[in-house]
Each structure stands twice: as structure tokens, then as C-alpha cells.
Amino acid sequence: MWVPVATGRRGLTVAIAAAAAGLALAMAALRWRRRPVREVLFFPSQPSCTEALLAEAAGPGAPVQPCPCPLPRSDCSLSRLLRRLLSARRSLDICLFAFSCPQLGLAVRLLHRRGVRVRVVTDAQYMALRGSQIGLLRLAGIQVRHDQGHGYMHHKFAIVDRRMLITGSLNWTTQAIQTNRENVLVVEDAEYVKLYLDEFERIWEEYSPTNNSSLSQEQ
Amino acid sequence: MWVPVATGRRGLTVAIAAAAAGLALAMAALRWRRRPVREVLFFPSQPSCTEALLAEAAGPGAPVQPCPCPLPRSDCSLSRLLRRLLSARRSLDICLFAFSCPQLGLAVRLLHRRGVRVRVVTDAQYMALRGSQIGLLRLAGIQVRHDQGHGYMHHKFAIVDRRMLITGSLNWTTQAIQTNRENVLVVEDAEYVKLYLDEFERIWEEYSPTNNSSLSQEQ
């Protein structure tokens, strides 16, 4: 057994210095880990033009025509939400009560076109209303499933690349984005993401047309 | 400057042992910190009797009469949400679109009676509907403020003791709890809590009757 006192004064000093270095290294290693995304978006979103953002996402690298609309190009909650979604490279799983916002609908279709595996679960009653984006998503070939009408499918969350959770009170509607008080929490946290992914998979299976013949056929 | 090689073999061994001990101590200290609350509740909640939980909260230590209802007493999403709320000791700030669940209404009134500072922000249109708990909260002397009708006050979050955030898709209604697909994320995280507290204070000030004479007087 080695104890510092047996090494003399010099050994003790070295031991203390080495211990301090060990501690400093451990703390630095923890600090150097890439900080996961943690963000909260509050709505209503400031009015802002998102055309350039969507055009850039549609054809990365291509020159973007300036939009003639009078809205400012500043960052806003909607543009930040769009950026989080457009960061998807492999998958986007969406579980959403109401979806009628054209910009968010376009972003989801762009991701699908880019080869991202998009799955959408929604509420049967709301998807039939005028202005819903669900028809356009299906037309584009995106898989959509919906509930059977026992209560509402009232979730409002999305999971990007099975690593980032986007959840809150916000339905993806223009009214909610422009007028309501809403919140969206963005968190890159494996523990939370897994719980929401499990819920998504449960619902996805439950709403499968092969499990229930009364559900309309998905695309 | 000290370098291990100058201390001889014994000194070097001691230095390595001390460095390892320093690292181990740092890791243990990180592990020993009290783990903050992290929980996700999914709904619909299993049917379950919450009478004993609420009776115990109303008179801690007093004998609780068994409830004659046939529902099981098992843990469920509603009972877990109730427990999180009833853990409040100093403050409860609620920002909620719809609030009609009698059990959650009773829990909030119990906290107020216990001396917890309760503040409620809600939506003007929904609070006027039949079954809303807002009238009972006001009768009990709880401060309630509401929006003025520009869009919805659609948030669904609560903050316990300025340290725990409870947020998600769930309105506190019996239909949502028993029938809908909903999620509630519980997080004890100073960064997120601060952002939601700031939003609460912004809204609380904005909806103050002294700031806007057209708003009905709060209790």
C-alpha cells in the first residue's frame, strides 16, 4: 500500500499536483463534449419571410431569388423551428393534432424529396378540415396514419434523426404560429427521445391499416 | 517545475495512484449529485382512484376513509401528475388553456390552502365554458389572470417551486386525461425553468388588470 507520507515531501507535492491535473482533465473532458441542442421557442412568432430559408433547403447551393414580400428576413421562432426540422438527414417522425401551416408542410415535403424517411401520425377529425396539409403530404408520397376517433390524437411532437425531440403546445397551424401564446421545447437528450420514440412506434403500430380494417389506407 | 521522472519510481507510482484517485473522486462527486426529476407521462391515463392521494394531501397524517368506488388504486399518469403538483412547498405558477379536471382543481386549491403561492394564467374564451375550474379557483381566493382574446392563450405548463417544469400537450380536462393521446414532460432543469418562468412573468404582467382596464378584475 502506498501512502503519500512515505514518499517524502517531494513525492507528496507531485502526488497533489498529479491529482489536481487528473481533476482538471476530467472537468475539461466533460466541458469539451459537444453541447446537445437545448432550446425553447415561444410564439406568436414575429412576422418574418421564410422564403429564402425554404428555397435554400430546396436547392442547396443554387442562387436564391430574393422574395418581393415586405416582411423582414430576421430570425424568428418559425424560422428556428424550420431550421431544426430541415436539419434532418435520415428520419423525421411527426405526431401532430393539427397541421395546416404551408411553410412547415413544404419543409416536410422537401425532406421527403431529399430522401429523409418521413412518417406522420395525425388526428382523423382535424385532417379532414379545409387547409390541412395532410392531403398534400400524402400526394407527395409521405406515409400518414391517423386515429380512429376515440378521443383526440392530441400530441404535438416531432423527432429528428431519432436524436432530437421537438415538443410543446404548438399545433403546426398558421393561427397558432402567428396569433397564439405557445411554446416548443427542443431537446437532444437520449432518455427523453427514447420515451417519445417508443410512444410514436406504439401509435404507429396501433393505427396501422393492417391492424384495423376500418382505417383508411395509408399512402 | 515538477515532473514525475524526477521523483524516482516510488514517487511516480504514488503520482499515478493519486491522479487515478482524483479522477475517481471527480466522477463519484458527479454521480452523487441528487439526480434531478426527469419524467414523461403519457395519456390517456389508466382509470384509477385518486381519492386517497387527495385526502392525504388535504390532511397529512389524518386517517383516510377508504373510497367506496370500484376503480383500482394503482399508480397512473394522473396520480403521478398530481403528486408532482402536490410536492409544491412555496409556489405554483400555472399557464393553461383549458382547466376543467376536478381532481387537478382540488389539488391546486389544497396547495393554496396550505399557503403555497398559486398564480394561474388562462384563456378568456375557455374559462367561460361550463365545467371550467377557474371560477372555483377564484372563489377560493387564488389569483387568476386571462388574455384579452387576440388568439388563444394556448400554453399548457406549470412550474413548481420555481425549480420543476411540467409542460406538454395536455390541457387539464377530464376528456384529455381519460381519452386523448397526450404527453407531459417533467423536468427539473434550471435553464428550461428560467425560460418558462420568464414567459410566465411576461404574460402575468401583460394580463394585469392595472395594465389593461378592459380585463376583468382578478381575485
Side-chain angles (χ1 to χ4, degrees), chain A residues 37 39 41 43 45 48-57 72-89 91-92 101 103-108 110-111 114 116 158-161 163-166 172 177 184 186 188:
Chain A
V37 172
E39 189 175 25
L41 308 174
F43 295 81
S45 185
S48 178
C49 178
T50 55
E51 286 305 304
L53 177 61
L54 289 164
E56 170 65 25
R73 272 74 180 145
S74 49
D75 207 22
C76 65
S77 292
L78 174 59
S79 66
R80 292 167 78 182
L81 176 58
L82 280 165
R83 270 199 204 94
R84 292 292 176 207
L85 294 171
L86 290 166
S87 74
R89 292 291 170 268
S91 66
L92 177 64
C101 170
Q103 293 97 321
L104 288 164
L106 179 54
V108 172
L110 286 175
L111 289 171
R114 207 198 267 171
V116 171
I159 302 158
V160 174
D161 288 341
R163 67 169 169 79
M164 182 165 59
L165 170 67
I166 298 171
W172 292 7
I177 288 162
V184 171
V186 186
E188 212 175 20

Side-chain angles (χ1 to χ4, degrees), chain A residues 133-149:
Chain A
Q133 287 284 312
I134 298 298
L136 289 172
L137 299 184
R138 282 187 155 160
L139 269 176
I142 293 171
Q143 295 181 85
V144 178
R145 294 183 182 177
H146 59 79
D147 70 314
Q148 241 203 116

Side-chain angles (χ1 to χ4, degrees), chain A residues 1-4 6-7 10-12 14-16 18-19, chain B residues 3-22:
Chain A
M1 186 183 173
W2 293 284
V3 286
T7 65
R10 201 172 185 184
L12 177 62
V14 171
I16 291 168
Chain B
V3 285
V5 74
T7 66
R9 202 174 157 193
R10 200 172 186 188
L12 177 61
T13 315
V14 172
I16 291 169

